[in-house]
């Protein structure tokens, strides 16, 4: 099977969607398929390279909002017209890849619908205002994608439900899920002696980080041996640091910024508890990574988290925007080592059963098989 992926994600992958596409592509190749990725490049000419066995095209991109997708699309269409005979299936990944007219079988995977994404943007700076204003154009682009797609998939049940706002039937949207490399992200026997609560992800609005800091201050006041570590970059970095400084617990919070994969895995493996305080998520990679490392997790009862966690069985769910409930859940885990162990073991088992890249890629390959004339290698 010759697969063409159209995306706006960066390569090498920097976060969620890019990692999703990268890992899926590597699995497809391992199973005997060919993968080409077409994504955004710089303002220079089209660049072609071999990226770990993936044929990668970086196509000129100019950040001229709100018509950036349309301008980029001109270059994508020109490239695609010269290479489309190389492919058996086209796979779009949101947000905002350039739609293409083609007679080839086409599938779109929705990570976060633009109507949901732009609807939840908080107007805190000029960029957020621009994102809000271009929301209608973004949604039109997304609607075009859905019209040309033979099949639509999503990463979470909640995302499928949100697609009803586009006139789609959620029951006809196939939930594929997200995945994790369970061989890399795995538990270890001998942890370091440091006890800390971990958050990994972007430091931005909708991630619930003000709730996380409030929860942390509560825990710090009662558990002098517990520290907090946050990884990731984002617009809230300085504001969160200031709140921590004013709390009087500055020495108990560590902002690590962007960390490489090996450091991230080490942080997961040695953490005491992982907390995901988000107000909205698709199906977060960080949650799956933490669970794969055998961590007990506390997460808000939103969106894709509900597809993964059965509260009290393989993690603990708390209401969103409830730092007190979050602190209560963290405290219950700190007080009960047996509960931490039980939830961590169950979390790892959940990943091994449902959320490996092998399992997720097989779901996608079966989707290709359902819309293609030629059989797919699984």
């Amino acid at each position: 099977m010759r697969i063409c992926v159209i995306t706006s994600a960066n390569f090498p992958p920097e976060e969620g969607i890019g990692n999703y596409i990268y890992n899926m592509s590597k699995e497809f190749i391992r199973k005997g398929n060919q993968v080409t990725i077409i994504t955004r490049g710089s303002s220079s000419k089209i660049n072609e390279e071999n990226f770990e066995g993936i044929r990668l095209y970086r196509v000129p991109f100019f950040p001229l909002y709100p018509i950036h997708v349309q301008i980029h699309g001109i270059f994508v269409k020109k490239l695609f017209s010269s290479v489309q005979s190389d492919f058996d299936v086209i796979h779009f990944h949101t947000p905002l890849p350039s739609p293409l007219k083609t007679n080839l079988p086409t599938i779109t995977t929705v990570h976060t619908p633009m109507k949901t994404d732009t609807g939840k943007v908080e107007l805190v700076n000029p960029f957020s205002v621009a994102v809000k204003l271009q929301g209608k154009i973004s949604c039109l682009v997304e609607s075009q994608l859905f019209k040309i797609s033979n099949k639509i998939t999503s990463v979470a049940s909640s995302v499928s439900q949100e697609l009803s706002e586009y006139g789609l039937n959620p029951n006809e949207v196939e939930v594929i899920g997200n995945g994790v490399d369970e061989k890399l992200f795995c538990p270890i026997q001998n942890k370091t002696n440091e006890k800390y609560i971990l958050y990994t992800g972007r430091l931005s609005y909708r991630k619930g980080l003000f709730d996380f800091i409030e929860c942390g201050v509560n825990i710090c006041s009662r558990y002098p041996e517990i520290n907090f570590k946050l990884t990731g970059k984002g617009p809230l970095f300085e504001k969160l640091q200031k709140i921590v400084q004013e709390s009087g617990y500055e020495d108990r919070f560590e902002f690590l910024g962007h960390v490489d994969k090996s450091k991230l895995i080490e942080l997961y493996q040695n953490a005491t508890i992982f907390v995901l305080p988000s107000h909205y998520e698709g199906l977060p990679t960080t949650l799956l990574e933490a669970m794969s490392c055998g961590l007990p997790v506390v997460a808000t009862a939103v969106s894709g988290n509900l597809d993964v966690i059965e509260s009290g069985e393989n993690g603990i769910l708390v209401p969103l925007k409830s730092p007190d409930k979050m602190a209560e859940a963290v405290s219950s885990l700190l007080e009960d080592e047996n509960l931490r162990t039980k939830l961590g073991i169950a979390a790892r088992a959940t990943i091994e059963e449902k959320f490996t890249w092998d399992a997720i890629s097989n779901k996608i390959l079966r989707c290709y098989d359902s819309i293609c004339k030629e059989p797919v290698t699984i």
Side-chain angles (χ1 to χ4, degrees):
M1 172 65 62
R2 301 171 301 167
I3 303 159
C4 178
V5 176
I6 314 287
T7 178
S8 59
N10 291 323
F11 271 79
E14 295 179 356
E15 50 190 359
I17 296 170
N19 283 316
Y20 186 104
I21 294 168
Y22 167 77
N23 283 291
M24 295 289 275
S25 298
K26 295 297 285 185
E27 281 294 309
F28 293 157
I29 293 169
R30 186 178 69 82
K31 292 169 181 175
N33 302 283
Q34 299 174 21
V35 179
T36 298
I37 294 176
I38 299 175
T39 190
R40 295 178 182 179
S42 63
S43 58
S44 62
K45 63 181 181 180
I46 293 173
N47 178 267
E48 180 185 357
E49 66 180 272
N50 183 300
F51 184 83
E52 299 183 22
I54 301 167
R55 183 185 180 191
L56 176 64
Y57 288 102
R58 303 180 199 274
V59 178
F61 173 74
F62 300 88
L64 299 174
Y65 300 94
I67 56 172
H68 55 294
V69 177
Q70 289 81 355
I71 293 173
H72 174 64
I74 294 171
F75 296 97
V76 172
K77 288 168 186 172
K78 183 178 179 181
L79 168 67
F80 186 76
S81 65
S82 67
V83 297
Q84 68 171 317
S85 61
D86 295 344
F87 311 128
D88 299 309
V89 65
I90 311 300
H91 193 158
F92 294 97
H93 283 267
T94 67
L96 301 181
S98 178
L100 295 169
K101 288 185 178 179
T102 177
N103 293 324
L104 292 169
T106 302
I107 181 172
T108 293
T109 292
V110 183
H111 295 264
T112 303
M114 292 306 300
K115 283 189 178 182
T116 303
D117 195 48
T118 57
K120 292 181 181 292
V121 169
E122 299 182 46
L123 302 178
V124 294
N125 55 35
F127 179 75
S128 63
V129 173
V131 170
K132 197 85 169 178
L133 290 174
Q134 76 172 48
K136 288 187 177 180
I137 295 176
S138 298
C139 293
L140 285 173
V141 171
E142 204 163 52
S143 294
Q144 288 177 332
L145 273 179
F146 300 152
K147 286 178 182 178
I148 65 172
S149 297
N150 299 107
K151 194 172 189 69
I152 298 170
T153 70
S154 72
V155 298
S157 301
S158 58
V159 173
S160 296
Q161 294 300 318
E162 289 159 0
L163 289 175
S164 63
E165 294 186 39
Y166 294 81
L168 300 176
N169 181 349
N171 295 325
E172 295 177 357
V173 177
E174 185 159 350
V175 180
I176 298 297
N178 200 345
V180 64
D181 186 336
E182 81 285 4
K183 296 179 182 68
L184 276 178
F185 293 87
C186 59
I188 57 173
Q189 293 299 317
N190 299 313
K191 294 192 173 193
T192 60
N193 292 326
E194 184 183 8
K195 290 188 174 182
Y196 60 89
I197 314 298
L198 179 66
Y199 165 83
T200 65
R202 188 161 168 75
L203 306 182
S204 61
Y205 294 92
R206 294 189 300 166
K207 292 295 186 179
L209 290 165
F210 296 121
D211 303 332
F212 180 71
I213 297 298
E214 187 175 336
C215 162
V217 170
N218 183 325
I219 294 297
C220 286
S221 68
R222 293 186 288 143
Y223 298 91
E225 76 282 10
I226 300 297
N227 295 317
F228 286 78
K229 295 181 187 287
L230 298 87
T231 74
K233 300 184 296 183
L236 292 182
F237 182 79
E238 292 181 357
K239 186 173 288 189
L240 293 170
Q241 281 193 317
K242 184 178 180 182
I243 294 173
V244 167
Q245 289 168 358
E246 293 172 349
S247 75
Y249 292 105
E250 183 179 2
D251 61 330
R252 307 276 294 280
F253 287 82
E254 189 175 3
F255 291 84
L256 299 170
H258 174 74
V259 298
D260 63 28
K261 183 179 287 186
S262 61
K263 176 63 176 177
L264 179 61
I265 293 171
E266 182 183 320
L267 286 166
Y268 281 129
Q269 291 173 330
N270 288 290
T272 308
I273 299 166
F274 177 78
V275 174
L276 188 68
S278 305
H279 296 167
Y280 176 82
E281 290 284 358
L283 180 50
T285 301
T286 57
L287 175 64
L288 302 181
E289 290 171 345
M291 293 176 70
S292 189
C293 288
L295 269 176
V297 300
V298 175
T300 44
V302 298
S303 314
N305 298 352
L306 298 170
D307 285 2
V308 184
I309 297 177
E310 185 177 350
S311 196
E313 296 298 324
N314 61 354
I316 297 178
L317 293 171
V318 296
L320 76 162
K321 300 183 180 181
S322 301
D324 289 344
K325 293 291 186 183
M326 193 182 300
E328 186 179 308
V330 170
S331 178
S332 69
L333 288 170
L334 291 175
E335 296 285 349
D336 192 339
E337 184 177 357
N338 289 334
L339 179 59
R340 295 201 304 272
T341 300
K342 171 197 164 187
L343 295 183
I345 291 172
R348 172 69 183 183
T350 298
I351 298 300
E352 291 177 329
E353 182 182 350
K354 298 179 181 178
F355 297 99
T356 65
W357 284 120
D358 178 51
I360 299 299
S361 62
N362 281 345
K363 286 184 178 182
I364 289 285
L365 289 170
R366 282 192 284 270
C367 288
Y368 294 164
D369 199 36
S370 71
I371 61 174
C372 291
K373 294 179 182 177
E374 298 296 323
V376 176
T377 303
I378 298 179

